[in-house]
Amino acid sequence: MNLRTPVTLVLAAVTVLGLAACRDSRTDTASAGGTDHVRIMVGGIDKVIYLPAKLADQLGYFKEQGIDVDLATQQAGVSAENSLISGDVQGVVGFYDHTIDLQTKGKCLESVVQLANIPGEVEMVSPTKADTIKSAADFKGRKLGVTDLGSSTDFLTQYLGQQHGLKAGTDYTEVKAGAGSTFVASLENGQIDAGMTTDPTVAQLVSTGKGKVLLDMRTEEGTKAALGGLYPASSLYMTCDYVKAHKPAVQKLANALVKTLKFIASHSGAEIAAKMPADYAGNNKALYEKAVGDTKSMFNSDGKMPSAGAENVLTVLSQFSPNVKGKKDSVRLTETYTTEFVDQATA
């Protein structure tokens, strides 16, 4: 018995240390220096639609709030969403519609800062197909590029097709085309006839003559024409449990991002582009400046969710999403976003 007691104590100590070392990232925000630390996954950090995340970092606004933010990136929003659910990150900068989609699966996510009231997405068509694909009604029999299956570009493409009685997999084929260079290559090589993407890819395709704009959702007018209303898109969303348990950290993030939105609203595309990492512009600084200038109007200036916009997102998803269809009345929309933190940030 005298020999077993020390061994038992050692094993207990090892167990406690092991548990402390394996803290779930969904609840752990404190760094060694006592500063809040948050890891955020961005659904394509170099996409202009998600520019506020990196811009806030570049401007020093996160540090100004006393929070250490680690920005990681995935090419598609659905991959970023999976990182949040698995606990690898505490937040995602991606499309708001994922919060609704996942609520129907029993997951509670909420947008804490709504960065944009419109998608900023553009349906591009190959120049060789531009004469025969003049609207979503011409999607029949075509290969349409989306960032990834289950992504927001997938959601929007299906909605556009359904408005003309067309169904994915039956009337047209969706192809995972990614973003950036992979999307450009897919369109140029004929792997897709048309597809949905964002700036700076849009600016690159138009300037090189490798793609033409079919539907433009970088403006409120274009979005309302395509989707019947506003479609709040880019946002910072987190799990409801994390938000409730770490309100001070969430408030710091909201403060930094709202200040960034105000910077965007009061500066030109060229001035904003100048604050971003040089490699984001590639070999064409002027083209990147244009891309930012063409897209910056999609961002709001206060981070608040327009309630009518949230309703429209639910309406769009309920018409085709297998997870939301038939469940519209049971979706608790007010649990998918909060203005608590942005209200305080703008007060």
Side-chain angles (χ1 to χ4, degrees), residues 10 21 23 95 120 144 165 173 199 206 214 219 229 250 261 266 282 297 309 314:
V10 170
R23 290 177 294 184
F95 268 36
L144 304 178
T173 303
D199 276 313
V206 172
L214 181 65
T219 66
V250 177
L261 291 172
S266 60
S297 63
L314 177 58

Side-chain angles (χ1 to χ4, degrees), residues 3-212:
L3 290 175
R4 291 170 64 186
T5 300
V7 171
T8 301
L9 291 173
V10 170
L11 288 174
V14 169
T15 300
V16 171
L17 289 172
L19 290 172
C22 297
R23 290 177 294 184
D24 191 332
S25 67
R26 284 169 286 193
T27 59
D28 185 18
T29 60
S31 66
T35 301
D36 287 324
H37 177 85
V38 178
R39 183 172 171 81
I40 295 174
M41 187 66 75
V42 185
I45 200 166
D46 57 350
K47 295 178 182 178
V48 179
I49 60 171
Y50 300 139
L51 177 144
K54 188 61 179 177
L55 181 59
D57 188 41
Q58 292 290 108
L59 292 172
Y61 290 169
F62 290 133
K63 289 184 179 180
E64 181 180 276
Q65 289 295 320
I67 189 165
D68 181 17
V69 176
D70 179 15
L71 296 174
T73 186
Q74 290 275 8
Q75 194 176 56
V78 65
S79 300
E81 164 196 297
N82 291 336
S83 296
L84 179 63
I85 294 172
S86 66
D88 294 333
V89 298
Q90 289 86 41
V92 167
V93 172
F95 268 36
Y96 160 72
D97 51 21
H98 291 286
T99 67
I100 297 175
D101 187 65
L102 283 171
Q103 189 187 97
T104 65
K105 299 178 182 178
K107 305 290 184 182
C108 186
L109 306 178
E110 60 182 336
S111 165
V112 295
V113 182
Q114 193 60 46
L115 303 172
N117 297 338
I118 55 179
E121 299 282 354
V122 180
E123 185 73 20
M124 300 296 294
V125 61
S126 167
T128 62
K129 301 292 193 303
D131 289 338
T132 54
I133 304 178
K134 297 182 178 181
S135 73
D138 301 319
F139 283 175
K140 188 174 179 62
R142 303 298 184 176
K143 296 174 291 184
L144 304 178
V146 297
T147 311
D148 200 352
L149 300 181
S151 67
S152 294
T153 55
D154 177 10
F155 293 163
L156 292 174
T157 299
Q158 288 193 53
Y159 177 77
L160 292 173
Q162 184 160 313
Q163 294 304 102
H164 298 278
L166 305 177
K167 186 176 180 181
T170 302
D171 299 304
Y172 60 87
T173 303
E174 289 187 308
V175 178
K176 178 182 176 180
S181 59
T182 59
F183 185 93
V184 172
S186 295
L187 194 64
E188 187 176 13
N189 298 333
Q191 294 173 310
I192 58 175
D193 301 310
M196 194 171 292
T197 191
T198 61
D199 276 313
T201 306
V202 172
Q204 180 183 348
L205 287 168
V206 172
S207 67
T208 57
K210 295 179 180 178
K212 293 187 175 182

Side-chain angles (χ1 to χ4, degrees), residues 117-119 156 159-160 163-164 215-217 219-232 307-317 319 328:
N117 297 338
I118 55 179
L156 292 174
Y159 177 77
L160 292 173
Q163 294 304 102
H164 298 278
L215 295 169
D216 194 339
M217 291 177 280
T219 66
E220 287 196 7
E221 293 75 18
T223 299
K224 290 176 180 178
L227 305 176
L230 295 178
Y231 195 93
S307 58
E311 289 281 358
N312 193 50
V313 173
L314 177 58
T315 297
V316 169
L317 291 180
Q319 293 188 36
K328 182 179 179 182

